[in-house]
Amino acid sequence: MLCCLFTIFNSTISQGAVPKVKYVTAEEFVQKVFVALKIINHSQDPLSKAKLLKVLPANLNKKSIITKAQASYILWHTIQNLESLKQKLLPAKTNILSCWDYYRQTGKGFITKKIPTEIALLYYNFVVIEKIYKDGHKKYVFVWNPYTKARTQDDYMKLVRDFINKNPQKYKVALRENTKTLSVDYIKKVFPIIDKSNNLPSTIFNKVYQSVYQNTYQDTENVVLNQLYTANDQVYCYFLEDKILKVAKIQNFKTSFLGKEYNVNVKLDPRWNKFIEDYIMSLKRDFPVNHERFKYIVADIFSTPVSFQESILRLLDLGLLTPEINPYDQRFYIYPNKRLSSTEVNEIINRISKNENLSFDEFKVDNKFFRIDNLRFLKMLKSLPLKTQSKLKFTSNQFGIDEFGIYIIVEGTKYYLAETLPKDGNIFYYIKPYITYAKTKLQYKNLIPKDQIIEVLSEVDGICLVKYRNSKLWVPSRYLTILPQRKVFLNPLTKEEVEKFMNSRVKNEKSNYFIWVDLARLSIYLMKKENNAYVLIRTIDCSAGAEYTPTLRGYFKSKAKVYKFYNTRYRAGAMYGLVYSGNYMIHSVPIDQKDEIINNSIIQRISHGCIRVSLSDAKYIYRNVPTGSIVWVN
């Protein structure tokens, strides 16, 4: 860190009182579930009814605390045995669609007719599951399930070209719809080019018009509106909208995406060539496209007794169970032997009652699935050193897409240009801390064994403060290998999101100013209290600690202000510092002894642990935020 004028104090660990958890016995679980689902009333014996329905696992002790595996068995077999629950929770039919199928049917989603082929192909990593229930209503969910043999744009384009080379007769525009008459809604969604028909009389009947693709004149009596025509390998149709004759065309076109220009060849694009789409959808994926996919996602499913596995997989698919992520290895676990608390049972019952569940790997689909903010990305690029900027070629940098969104890799960091929205619209799902993890190369004394995944909190002079099994201790960095997690979400939270999250979490805080440092998005949200609630007054771009010198996370009160300082060790200084813990502070980008900026880099993980902001933003914080204000680094 640049601000080494201050002493770092080894923090002590305080253990708060652990609230008492009320666990549920097997008998209580069946009672709660059966009463809530109106299978029995309060006066009836729950276990007698459960035995009658044959939903109890073998060797269940009614007085024992029920485990997650046992509860899953009872729930799944209850759903199967009761027709009312079966109709409510289980679809009568399931179809697998592509993103383009979904868009054509609903007009929603994130794959449209205007995005380039290279990006559209990446979206085929998603599977759309159409669930049709007995009462006729439909539910669509997106599941991230990439193809085994393709990961990048280049991989997909190669697959498409190889397919056409082997099947040259299929190199053409081939729409999936075979109907003679197309709806105006369909035409507007699918045809990439729509123009007014020029030089036409007010009426199209008993007149002549010029063909769109040929310099020939035809009788309009030979032309039918909303019908496909082909000329010179191009597809078009005429339609009326607001009494205006328009022509829609499927032909090669140019488009832009995230600041880059693309040429779209419609005959090589699965949106307009059903043969290519059928081929892509037939490719092998990483997981099965049903409940069996969780065998590949949940780490401890095979340590579960075989008799319980099917039930757990089914409830995961229904969204009634949610696995937990292990912070040390970043894998999902179901913990089948975990005892269920009364609160957890109530949550499961609530999910069954609402039936609006998504399984944890499903994405809610709407027209705003991705948020896109190009300006921060451009700002980040401009802040890079000139020698690096000159090497940046968008054609050679790898765009990609994963469960977090669309990214581009620059200097080893994934910058997410478009971020996936939270599941179920729940803002709490995607506001998570950015944590640095390391793996021990060697055993450290008798305290930490070799090959353990531990959390790195901070680093000072080659010694890291780490967290291992709820204990904090200092470990020399030579014992550690930092695990790469370099990613930045370039979309700061909106004013509404910040205020909603903060005011629901922070209660009875007396500080008039509150600084929230969002390490995942490299954003600072500066808030001021008004009418007993925090209001966002400024969002500030920032840089934070590099992988080996992470920024200390926690809840702090700012302690002091430093107008200017210079560190001879780093041959750099900074201005307008707000100290919040030891020698950690929010300060300007680094300057030299002449107060000239050395490195103007923003929106990067680059510092020695401090939070860097622009000179003007640092000055604003310095002048407006008093000492004693809360600084939450998350």
Side-chain angles (χ1 to χ4, degrees):
M1 288 156 287
L2 292 176
C3 32
C4 289
L5 300 175
F6 303 90
T7 307
I8 291 185
F9 296 96
N10 195 347
S11 57
T12 57
I13 308 164
S14 59
Q15 297 287 341
V18 179
K20 190 174 181 179
V21 178
K22 184 181 184 305
Y23 294 105
V24 177
T25 65
E27 185 175 29
E28 289 170 337
F29 175 78
V30 176
Q31 172 82 18
K32 274 177 168 282
V33 171
F34 279 23
V35 169
L37 299 179
K38 299 180 181 179
I39 299 172
I40 62 170
N41 57 42
H42 287 280
S43 61
Q44 292 178 291
D45 178 25
L47 291 182
S48 297
K49 184 68 173 178
K51 289 176 182 177
L52 186 65
L53 293 173
K54 299 179 180 180
V55 300
L56 298 180
N59 303 318
L60 181 71
N61 185 336
K62 67 178 183 179
K63 297 299 180 183
S64 298
I65 302 298
I66 196 163
T67 66
K68 192 179 286 188
Q70 292 169 336
S72 300
Y73 185 98
I74 294 170
L75 279 174
W76 173 241
H77 285 81
T78 300
I79 291 169
Q80 283 186 300
N81 281 278
L82 286 177
E83 191 62 29
S84 58
L85 277 180
K86 197 172 182 179
Q87 289 185 21
K88 179 181 179 180
L89 298 174
L90 303 182
K93 185 180 179 182
T94 299
N95 296 320
I96 305 302
L97 308 178
S98 70
C99 298
W100 181 241
D101 288 330
Y102 174 77
Y103 174 74
R104 292 201 325 273
Q105 290 185 22
T106 66
K108 297 179 180 179
F110 48 84
I111 185 171
T112 66
K113 63 184 182 180
K114 285 298 184 182
I115 65 173
T117 306
E118 291 89 336
I119 303 301
L121 285 168
L122 289 173
Y123 285 128
Y124 278 82
N125 281 308
F126 287 98
V127 171
V128 184
I129 303 176
E130 179 187 45
K131 300 179 179 180
I132 305 172
Y133 294 84
K134 192 169 183 179
D135 62 4
H137 86 276
K138 296 180 180 180
K139 177 182 176 183
Y140 296 93
V141 292
F142 273 43
V143 174
W144 178 255
N145 193 348
Y147 294 103
T148 303
K149 294 184 178 180
R151 283 292 189 269
T152 67
Q153 292 178 24
D154 291 341
D155 292 340
Y156 280 106
M157 292 305 296
K158 185 177 185 304
L159 282 173
V160 169
R161 290 191 178 98
D162 288 348
F163 173 78
I164 292 299
N165 288 337
K166 293 177 182 177
N167 303 277
Q169 74 281 7
K170 295 180 179 179
Y171 179 60
K172 59 184 177 181
V173 173
L175 298 183
R176 194 166 298 283
E177 282 66 23
N178 294 319
T179 54
K180 290 184 177 179
T181 303
L182 303 174
S183 69
V184 173
D185 178 64
Y186 173 84
I187 294 169
K188 291 169 69 176
K189 281 188 295 191
V190 172
F191 284 67
I193 299 170
I194 296 177
D195 295 319
K196 292 180 182 178
S197 272
N198 296 323
N199 304 320
L200 292 175
S202 58
T203 175
I204 64 168
F205 298 105
N206 300 319
K207 301 289 182 181
V208 295
Y209 72 97
Q210 186 174 14
S211 173
V212 179
Y213 296 104
Q214 298 170 314
N215 288 321
T216 59
Y217 287 84
Q218 300 176 4
D219 254 338
T220 53
E221 291 179 351
N222 298 326
V223 173
V224 180
L225 295 179
N226 300 69
Q227 182 170 307
L228 291 177
Y229 288 91
T230 302
N232 298 337
D233 276 343
Q234 295 172 331
V235 176
Y236 63 97
C237 72
Y238 295 96
F239 68 100
L240 279 175
E241 186 178 40
D242 299 327
K243 297 182 180 179
I244 298 172
L245 182 64
K246 295 185 177 180
V247 60
K249 315 169 193 174
I250 298 178
Q251 65 183 41
N252 296 347
F253 62 96
K254 291 184 178 181
T255 190
S256 62
F257 184 79
L258 301 176
K260 182 181 176 182
E261 295 295 322
Y262 291 84
N263 292 312
V264 176
N265 181 341
V266 291
K267 290 187 280 188
L268 280 177
D269 195 299
R271 289 169 289 183
W272 300 288
N273 186 334
K274 66 180 181 182
F275 303 113
I276 292 176
E277 184 174 57
D278 288 343
Y279 168 66
I280 290 174
M281 291 298 289
S282 70
L283 294 173
K284 183 180 178 182
R285 295 180 181 266
D286 282 355
F287 320 122
V289 192
N290 56 22
H291 65 283
E292 297 268 325
R293 68 186 185 273
F294 295 107
K295 287 183 178 179
Y296 302 84
I297 299 172
V298 177
D300 58 347
I301 191 67
F302 291 110
S303 64
T304 306
V306 175
S307 58
F308 295 113
Q309 287 180 16
E310 175 76 8
S311 300
I312 289 174
L313 294 172
R314 292 285 186 177
L315 294 192
L316 284 168
D317 189 44
L318 290 174
L320 299 179
L321 280 186
T322 303
E324 301 172 36
I325 190 166
N326 186 318
Y328 296 105
D329 64 6
Q330 295 294 293
R331 298 176 72 192
F332 288 105
Y333 288 80
I334 195 64
Y335 300 119
N337 296 321
K338 180 183 177 182
R339 298 181 297 172
L340 281 185
S341 68
S342 180
T343 301
E344 290 170 318
V345 173
N346 290 335
E347 287 175 356
I348 292 172
I349 292 172
N350 188 46
R351 291 190 199 118
I352 295 174
S353 301
K354 287 186 175 180
N355 193 26
E356 297 174 354
N357 312 300
L358 293 177
S359 70
F360 79 101
D361 68 333
E362 293 175 348
F363 294 86
K364 187 177 181 181
V365 182
D366 56 32
N367 283 324
K368 295 181 180 178
F369 188 83
F370 285 113
R371 318 158 178 223
I372 297 178
D373 185 347
N374 300 335
L375 294 179
R376 287 192 89 220
F377 179 62
L378 296 176
K379 187 186 294 184
M380 183 277 298
L381 289 181
K382 289 178 181 177
S383 75
L384 292 172
L386 184 60
K387 61 181 181 180
T388 309
Q389 275 196 60
S390 64
K391 296 178 182 178
L392 283 176
K393 303 289 184 184
F394 281 98
T395 53
S396 62
N397 278 282
Q398 182 58 59
F399 280 89
I401 182 171
D402 60 17
E403 66 267 40
F404 301 108
I406 302 171
Y407 61 81
I408 182 172
I409 298 176
V410 180
E411 295 188 327
T413 296
K414 280 186 178 180
Y415 289 94
Y416 285 86
L417 306 162
E419 183 181 355
T420 53
L421 283 177
K423 301 177 184 182
D424 273 334
N426 184 356
I427 190 173
F428 298 95
Y429 171 77
Y430 72 128
I431 298 179
K432 295 180 178 178
Y434 185 90
I435 301 175
T436 300
Y437 291 99
K439 187 175 183 179
T440 50
K441 301 179 192 175
L442 307 166
Q443 177 173 318
Y444 177 64
K445 299 182 178 178
N446 292 321
L447 301 174
I448 308 177
K450 181 185 177 182
D451 293 331
Q452 296 297 299
I453 306 297
I454 59 177
E455 181 180 343
V456 181
L457 302 175
S458 65
E459 182 273 348
V460 181
D461 295 330
I463 302 177
C464 296
L465 177 63
V466 304
K467 184 178 180 182
Y468 176 66
R469 292 185 176 175
N470 296 322
S471 296
K472 294 180 183 178
L473 61 158
W474 292 89
V475 177
S477 58
R478 66 178 181 273
Y479 286 84
L480 308 175
T481 299
I482 301 295
L483 301 180
Q485 290 183 325
R486 300 183 66 190
K487 58 187 178 187
V488 177
F489 295 100
L490 289 171
N491 308 289
L493 300 176
T494 65
K495 177 179 171 66
E496 180 185 1
E497 290 168 338
V498 171
E499 292 174 357
K500 177 183 177 182
F501 181 82
M502 188 53 57
N503 290 309
S504 65
R505 286 295 178 95
V506 178
K507 306 290 185 183
N508 304 317
E509 182 54 67
K510 295 180 180 179
S511 175
N512 285 329
Y513 285 87
F514 195 109
I515 297 176
W516 172 12
V517 182
D518 183 350
L519 293 179
R521 294 168 183 80
L522 293 180
S523 295
I524 293 176
Y525 309 114
L526 178 56
M527 287 162 281
K528 186 178 181 181
K529 185 169 282 189
E530 295 180 6
N531 299 323
N532 208 33
Y534 283 111
V535 177
L536 180 67
I537 59 174
R538 196 177 182 110
T539 297
I540 299 169
D541 298 325
C542 69
S543 286
E547 286 178 342
Y548 281 85
T549 54
T551 297
L552 181 67
R553 293 181 294 109
Y555 198 84
F556 312 98
K557 275 191 177 181
S558 57
K559 302 180 183 302
K561 292 184 179 181
V562 180
Y563 172 65
K564 184 169 65 174
F565 61 89
Y566 185 81
N567 187 297
T568 55
R569 177 182 175 185
Y570 295 112
R571 296 181 181 179
M575 296 186 69
Y576 308 117
L578 180 69
V579 184
Y580 60 86
S581 177
N583 63 349
Y584 287 89
M585 65 171 80
I586 300 171
H587 59 62
S588 73
V589 291
I591 58 172
D592 61 18
Q593 287 180 306
K594 296 179 180 179
D595 295 346
E596 292 180 353
I597 294 174
I598 300 172
N599 185 341
N600 205 26
S601 298
I602 292 293
I603 319 175
Q604 296 183 67
R605 306 196 188 283
I606 196 173
S607 79
H608 293 89
C610 285
I611 304 297
R612 296 181 187 177
V613 297
S614 70
L615 207 57
S616 59
D617 287 328
K619 187 176 182 179
Y620 181 89
I621 295 172
Y622 183 86
R623 288 187 171 180
N624 290 281
V625 180
T627 54
S629 299
I630 298 300
V631 179
W632 181 42
V633 184
N634 181 38

